Amino acid sequence: MLKAISTFVTELLGREEEDEVHFDDTDERLAAAALLFHAVAIDGSIEDVEREKLHVLLSDRFELSSSDTDTLIEEARERDLESVDLHGFTSVLNRALDEEGKQRIIEMLWEIVMSDGEIHEFEDNLVWRVAELLGVSTRDRMVLRKRVLERRAMTESSNSA
C-alpha cells in the first residue's frame, strides 16, 4: 500500500522512479537469500566475514549490482524475521528450481556456514533441514559439504603460500 502511494506521489510530481529492484514473495532469489541470511544469523552472531560472503554469493549467483544485492539482503532479513518456519522459502524454491538448482542452494548454504571457519551445530542442522525440504538426498548434501570444504582448503593453502 505504501509503495503504491509512493509511486503515485512520485508520478504526480513528475519524477521518474529510479530503477529500484524489488523482490516479491514468489521470487526464488528472495527465498534463497532469506535461507542464507537465516544461516548467517542462526548461531547468534553475524560476523563481517559471513556478511561479506553472503553479499558475494548473492551478487555472483543472481548477477546483481552491489546496491541490488544490498536491497535483496535487507528484504531477506525482513522476511527471515517475519518467518515462523523454513517451508515458505523452500516451497518457493521447490516450484522454481530443478534438482541442480536445489543442490546449488545447499552448496551456497554450506559456503555461508563455513565462511567463519567453523560449523555450529545449529548451522549443520539448518542445512540438513533445508536439504530435506528441497528433496536433496543425504548423499548429495554430504558431497556438496565435502566439495565446499575442499574448495576452502585449497583457497586457504594458496593464501598462506
Side-chain angles (χ1 to χ4, degrees):
M1 180 71 164
L2 288 175
K3 179 68 177 161
I5 293 170
S6 173
T7 301
F8 177 71
V9 170
T10 301
E11 290 172 358
L12 272 179
L13 296 174
R15 287 183 260 158
E16 293 286 323
E17 253 190 76
E18 293 180 22
D19 292 337
E20 290 183 15
V21 173
H22 293 283
F23 305 92
D24 67 39
D25 291 337
T26 61
D27 191 325
E28 69 268 10
R29 298 172 299 178
L30 180 58
L35 289 172
L36 292 171
F37 183 85
H38 191 74
V40 166
I42 199 167
D43 65 358
S45 68
I46 301 175
E47 297 181 25
D48 288 341
V49 68
E50 293 172 314
R51 191 174 287 122
E52 291 168 16
K53 185 66 170 183
L54 177 62
H55 197 278
V56 168
L57 279 174
L58 293 172
S59 176
D60 290 352
R61 173 71 172 115
F62 300 122
E63 300 176 351
L64 298 170
S65 70
S66 182
S67 65
D68 290 345
T69 303
D70 290 340
T71 300
L72 177 58
I73 291 170
E74 180 55 30
E75 290 185 24
R77 183 188 71 77
E78 291 171 10
R79 293 308 185 288
D80 180 51
L81 292 173
E82 296 167 355
S83 177
V84 295
D85 63 14
L86 304 172
H87 181 72
F89 304 130
T90 58
S91 64
V92 169
L93 295 172
N94 275 324
R95 285 190 298 273
L97 301 176
D98 60 9
E99 183 63 29
E100 184 179 325
K102 293 173 187 179
Q103 287 182 10
R104 180 65 185 132
I105 297 298
I106 299 304
E107 186 173 13
M108 291 168 71
L109 279 168
W110 281 126
E111 289 180 42
I112 284 290
V113 164
M114 294 179 196
S115 65
D116 64 357
E118 62 180 291
I119 302 173
H120 190 278
E121 66 183 283
F122 292 154
E123 295 169 330
D124 189 49
N125 183 267
L126 173 67
V127 177
W128 169 74
R129 288 184 298 145
V130 172
E132 289 290 315
L133 290 167
L134 292 178
V136 174
S137 70
T138 300
R139 180 191 173 286
D140 288 341
R141 176 174 46 91
M142 298 314 289
V143 165
L144 293 166
R145 180 179 196 248
K146 183 179 178 191
R147 181 185 305 165
V148 172
L149 278 170
E150 289 171 351
R151 206 169 34 236
R152 279 188 53 81
M154 288 175 52
T155 301
E156 289 173 3
S157 68
S158 67
N159 286 342
S160 64

